Each structure stands twice: as C-alpha cells, then as structure tokens.
Amino acid sequence: MRAALHIAGKDLRQRLRDRSAILLAVVVPLALAAIFSVLFGQASTPRAFRYAVVDHDHSRITATFENQVLGMLADRGIVTVRPMAERQARTEVADGSLDAAFVFPAGFAAKVQSPRRVAVQVVGSVDQVTATDVARSIARAYVADLNAARVAVAAVTHQQPGASPGAVAAEVVGSAPSLQLADVSAQARVLDTKTYFAAGMAVFFLLFTVQFGVSSLIDERSDGTLARLLAAPVRRTEILAGKLVTSFVLGVTSLTVLVLATTWLLGASWGNPLGVGLLVVAGVLAGTGITSLVASLARTPEQAGSWQAVVAVTLGLLGGSFFPIQQSGALLATLSLATPHAWFLRGLADLSGGVGDVLPAVAALLAIGLVTGTVAVLRIDKVVAP
C-alpha cells in the first residue's frame, strides 16, 4: 500500500503542475455553471404577474373581484394588483410595465341582474402570453360565478317577488371567492436553477477529472516508465491502486472546491453537508469505475482520451447535466438511471427531505462504481502489460 501512495503522490504533484487538469476540474465547470445560471436563471424563476383593475362600475360585485379574488392571489405572492384609470392601464400594458388589465364597464353590476350578457375585458401584453392567459382564466372563472348568481337571482325572485335582485346577486357573488388555491406537492423534488447547473456541471466534468489518474497508466506504458515500475519490487495491483487513489483524490477535491465555490459565488444551495459528502464520495467512486473500465479497453493514450470523452459527454447528456432529462419523456428518464449523473442530481434533490432520503442515490452510485471498477480490475493484466 505504501508503494501505491507513493505513486499517487507523484501523479498528484504532476497534475497540480498541469494547468489543463485545473481548468477541467474547477475553472471550466464553475464558469459554465455561472453562465447557465445567468442565461436561464431569470427565465426559470417565477415572478408575480402584474395586473391592474379598471373599475368604471364601482359596485360591490367589482370590489369583490378586486379585493377577494385578486386579493387572495396577491396574498400568496402570485399577482400584484393596482387600481388604475383605463388610459394609464392600456399605456402600461403597451410599454410592458403591466402584464394585463381587467376592465369593468359602467353598469356591470346591473347587467348581472338582467338577462344581458356580462363581460370583463382583459387587456393583455403581447409579450406576456402566459400572464395574459392566466388573467383571462381568472376573468372567465369570475364570470362563471356571475352566471351562477343570475340563476340564483332568478330562482329567489321567482319564489320571493319582493326580494331585491341586486342584494341577492351581491350576496351570492360575495359569499365565496371564484378561485380556490390548493397546494399540490410535486411528485419529485427539484433543484433551483443555480444549484441545478452548479451540480450538473460539477458531475459532468467529474468524468474528465478522474480520468487523469487511470489514463496515466497508458501514458506511462507508451513512455516506457511503466516497464521500469514493473521491474521494481512493486505489484501490479499496487500500481493500479495508486492510479485509482489519484483519480479519487482529484475527483473529491474537484467536487469539494466546486461545492464551496458555487455556494459562495453563485448562491447555490447544496443542502445538508453530510448528505452532500456522501454523494460526492459515491459519485467519485462511480466516475472512477467508469473511466477505469474505458481505459482498460484502450491500447493507446489517444484512443483512451477519445473514448473517455465520448463516454463522458454521452453520459452527461443522458444523465441530465445540461437540462432536466424528465422533460424528454419517460423512456429517456428511465435510460438516464444508468448514468451516475442522474443519480447524483436526483440524490441532491432528494436531500431536501433529509439525509436518509439520499441513501438510495448513494447506493446506486456505489453499485455503478462497484460493477465498472470490478470489471476494470479484472482486466488489470491488459492495462499494465508492457
């Protein structure tokens, strides 16, 4: 084991002097995480819809819409609402200061009490399609309640001729809000944008980082230094162990630096340190096993580098390092479970529920590392053969 540590120490010193290793391990993933967070962070972070209410009627029915219906949404932070004159509202919708405006015409409440058609005009911004569609849905829901009020007014006034239609309509409309908000939990936990891209880039470049350890076996074989190692009183297993230790240390160091850097610089929220540590160790072992297996199949340094790059990029794309793979359908989501990237990101998302919830992802990563690492070790003769 002492020989393995000496080999690992020598390789690590070489890598510390290699700027390309530092770039791939820390600088490039940190830079890409920052770029993706800036590009997609604002688009994926919801903001409150900006609405205005233009009330030409000034009735209890229109006040109910503004104070109860929209007020309930405003209390949840879903919308912001301002009363406004119609000309100003149309101007602000046109210049993008408002997303949409609800316009209640004069005599609106009177129409509720009559057979005439009731309409709420929604003035929406052409650049805010979603906000406008939501505004129209809210207006339709309220008008549906008003239609229910008409039926109630007709029924009550028919049975009680002396009843006031206006009072009945106002009581029906004001008795309950048109919208009911329900908290529907997501089926799977998701990461915020900054954390997702930070973790995605970290695990994507992990396979490029850990390859420096095992791939150096092939480099040394081509340079002739491996033959001298084999001639020394050093077992082949110790040589491979030294290379694996190098990959493991590089991987853990890279992920640890990226976790700290993205937390301080980008505001990423990784979660419980113990759970993150388990994921880091398990993810590095899985990445080391995969790169070791690929290296064991190659005969030249160029071949090893090409194959490892193809495997790293393919697994990264399939594992969801650049976008949530669940958006691509159930088939790809299932296939992604064969990658350490998907399990690492899933484990990080599950970590919000507690350290215990991350154990299935850790177990999957360890299983990937065990299977691929075992196959690589069994091929050790071909890897280190002079």
Side-chain angles (χ1 to χ4, degrees), residues 203 279 319 334-350 358-366 368:
V203 72
L279 282 172
T334 301
L335 292 176
S336 70
L337 298 181
T339 70
H341 307 68
W343 285 108
F344 186 88
L345 294 171
R346 173 179 288 194
L348 200 61
D350 290 341
V358 81
L359 295 181
V362 171
L365 289 169
L366 292 176
I368 293 173

Side-chain angles (χ1 to χ4, degrees), residues 298-321:
R299 303 302 300 174
T300 65
E302 294 76 14
Q303 192 178 64
S306 299
W307 289 3
Q308 287 174 333
V310 170
V311 170
V313 172
T314 302
L315 293 181
L317 291 173
L318 183 59
S321 291

Side-chain angles (χ1 to χ4, degrees), residues 44 65 79-80 86 89 91 141 148 194 198 223 252 259 282 331 345 357 384:
S44 60
F65 177 82
V79 303
T80 60
E86 184 172 355
T91 299
K194 293 179 180 179
D223 296 339
V252 170
V259 168
L331 177 59
L345 294 171
D357 292 341
V384 300

Side-chain angles (χ1 to χ4, degrees), residues 76-101:
R76 298 289 188 92
I78 299 173
V79 303
T80 60
V81 185
R82 289 186 293 159
M84 195 174 294
E86 184 172 355
R87 174 176 293 183
Q88 181 184 358
R90 291 183 179 274
T91 299
E92 293 198 15
V93 168
D95 65 24
S97 300
L98 285 176
D99 296 326

Side-chain angles (χ1 to χ4, degrees), residues 72-335:
M72 177 178 58
L73 298 175
D75 291 340
R76 298 289 188 92
I78 299 173
V79 303
T80 60
V81 185
R82 289 186 293 159
M84 195 174 294
E86 184 172 355
R87 174 176 293 183
Q88 181 184 358
R90 291 183 179 274
T91 299
E92 293 198 15
V93 168
D95 65 24
S97 300
L98 285 176
D99 296 326
F102 300 92
V103 180
F104 288 90
F108 182 83
K111 291 182 180 180
V112 174
Q113 306 168 33
S114 70
R116 289 178 292 174
R117 181 175 177 267
V118 177
V120 178
Q121 185 179 8
V122 176
V123 180
S125 170
V126 295
D127 297 323
Q128 301 295 335
V129 178
T130 301
T132 302
D133 287 342
V134 171
R136 288 171 179 160
S137 297
I138 294 172
R140 290 191 190 102
Y142 193 63
V143 170
D145 275 0
L146 296 180
N147 289 330
R150 291 186 182 197
V151 175
V153 169
V156 172
T157 54
H158 177 73
Q159 294 181 356
Q160 303 176 15
S164 171
V168 174
E171 182 179 355
V172 173
V173 175
S175 62
S178 299
L179 303 178
Q180 296 292 334
L181 296 182
D183 183 10
V184 181
S185 300
Q187 294 181 352
R189 299 183 179 96
V190 294
L191 298 170
D192 63 87
T193 303
K194 293 179 180 179
T195 307
Y196 182 86
F197 284 116
M201 292 302 97
V203 72
F204 176 76
F205 282 94
L206 174 64
L207 265 66
F208 291 96
T209 301
V210 297
Q211 74 178 7
F212 287 117
V214 180
S215 295
S216 63
L217 272 175
I218 303 175
D219 294 333
E220 294 195 23
R221 183 173 59 193
S222 298
D223 296 339
T225 56
L226 182 59
R228 291 195 291 270
L229 275 177
L230 292 173
V234 179
R235 293 190 298 270
R236 292 183 177 183
T237 53
E238 291 179 316
I239 297 174
L240 180 59
K243 303 300 182 181
L244 293 176
V245 170
T246 300
S247 293
F248 180 78
V249 173
L250 287 173
V252 170
T253 302
S254 170
L255 286 184
T256 301
V257 171
L258 288 173
V259 168
L260 297 176
T262 54
T263 299
W264 293 336
L265 300 178
L266 303 182
S269 178
W270 290 78
N272 185 285
L274 176 59
V276 174
L278 291 174
L279 282 172
V280 165
V281 172
V284 170
L285 290 175
T288 301
I290 292 173
T291 55
S292 300
L293 177 59
V294 176
S296 72
L297 300 173
R299 303 302 300 174
T300 65
E302 294 76 14
Q303 192 178 64
S306 299
W307 289 3
Q308 287 174 333
V310 170
V311 170
V313 172
T314 302
L315 293 181
L317 291 173
L318 183 59
S321 291
F322 294 92
F323 59 92
I325 199 65
Q326 291 80 5
Q327 297 178 358
S328 300
L331 177 59
L332 286 180
T334 301
L335 292 176

